[in-house]
Amino acid sequence: NISIDAISNELCGELNSLKALVAESERDLESTERALENSEQNISKYEQQVAELSQGFEFYQETKCFINDYSKLLSLKIDSIEQVENEIYALFQKRCDDVRNLR
């Protein structure tokens, strides 16, 4: 025969084990919630960094396009300056030839 005290003691032991398990589960849950909060904060930081990098990259792309366009413009101007120099030189040569022919 099992006595009521033995059953009561066994149930109390089981109850205490369950309480300890619940307490441990609550600590684990709190720890997991803190880890989740930290992860969310890190994600927010990373998203901000990505946004900043994106802006920096956009500025880089715009600057690169500006430099390319400016370089092309300078190249065109240099070509036109060389063309003007060539025309001036040709005129100078023609005048020299004209002066020689007059002699």
Side-chain angles (χ1 to χ4, degrees):
N1 285 335
I2 300 176
S3 70
I4 290 180
D5 285 337
I7 293 173
S8 178
N9 286 340
E10 190 177 326
L11 287 176
C12 283
E14 290 292 324
L15 181 60
N16 287 337
S17 293
L18 285 174
K19 285 181 181 179
L21 184 61
V22 167
E24 183 181 343
S25 295
E26 286 175 345
R27 286 191 299 274
D28 288 346
L29 179 61
E30 288 172 1
S31 175
T32 302
E33 286 173 342
R34 282 193 302 274
L36 179 61
E37 250 180 65
N38 288 338
S39 295
E40 288 172 344
Q41 288 173 356
N42 287 338
I43 288 171
S44 177
K45 286 181 201 173
Y46 295 141
E47 286 174 340
Q48 183 179 1
Q49 289 174 347
V50 166
E52 290 169 2
L53 288 172
S54 293
Q55 288 176 344
F57 184 71
E58 285 175 21
F59 177 74
Y60 163 77
Q61 290 288 72
E62 290 171 5
T63 303
K64 182 179 172 186
C65 288
F66 172 78
I67 288 170
N68 286 339
D69 291 346
Y70 193 70
S71 174
K72 287 176 188 172
L73 181 64
L74 285 176
S75 173
L76 292 174
K77 286 188 175 197
I78 287 171
D79 289 345
S80 65
I81 289 170
E82 287 174 352
Q83 182 180 358
V84 169
E85 287 175 344
N86 290 336
E87 288 174 9
I88 291 172
Y89 182 73
L91 281 173
F92 178 73
Q93 286 296 323
K94 184 178 183 313
R95 289 205 175 124
C96 287
D97 291 344
D98 290 347
V99 167
R100 277 189 216 119
N101 290 336
L102 288 175
R103 293 184 193 166

